[in-house]
């Protein structure tokens, strides 16, 4: 659960910053989604590689 919340928080932060810079909702949503998914995949890869 903490990993999910970390990805969610990082996605929200990146989406918010992107929205402040571009003032474009779909672009900010895409940036947030990409940041969240890459966070989850990166941590999952670290867990798999560490095993």
């Amino acid at each position: 659960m903490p990993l999910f919340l970390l990805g969610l928080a990082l996605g929200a932060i990146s989406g918010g910053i992107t929205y402040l810079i571009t003032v474009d909702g779909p672009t900010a949503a895409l940036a947030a989604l990409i940041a969240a998914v890459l966070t989850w995949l990166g941590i999952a890869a670290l867990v798999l590689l560490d095993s």
Side-chain angles (χ1 to χ4, degrees), residues 2 4 6 11 15 21 25 27 30-31 33-34 39 42-43 50:
F4 175 76
L6 175 66
I21 293 171
T27 302
L30 183 62
L33 181 64
I34 289 171
T39 301
I43 292 173
D50 191 39

Side-chain angles (χ1 to χ4, degrees), residues 1 4-5 22 25 38 49:
M1 186 68 167
F4 175 76
L5 294 177
T22 64
L38 288 179
L49 292 174

Side-chain angles (χ1 to χ4, degrees), residues 7-44:
L8 197 61
L10 291 176
I13 291 168
S14 67
I17 291 171
T18 303
Y19 186 75
L20 286 174
I21 293 171
T22 64
V23 192
D24 184 28
T27 302
L30 183 62
L33 181 64
I34 289 171
V37 170
L38 288 179
T39 301
W40 295 325
L41 290 177
I43 292 173

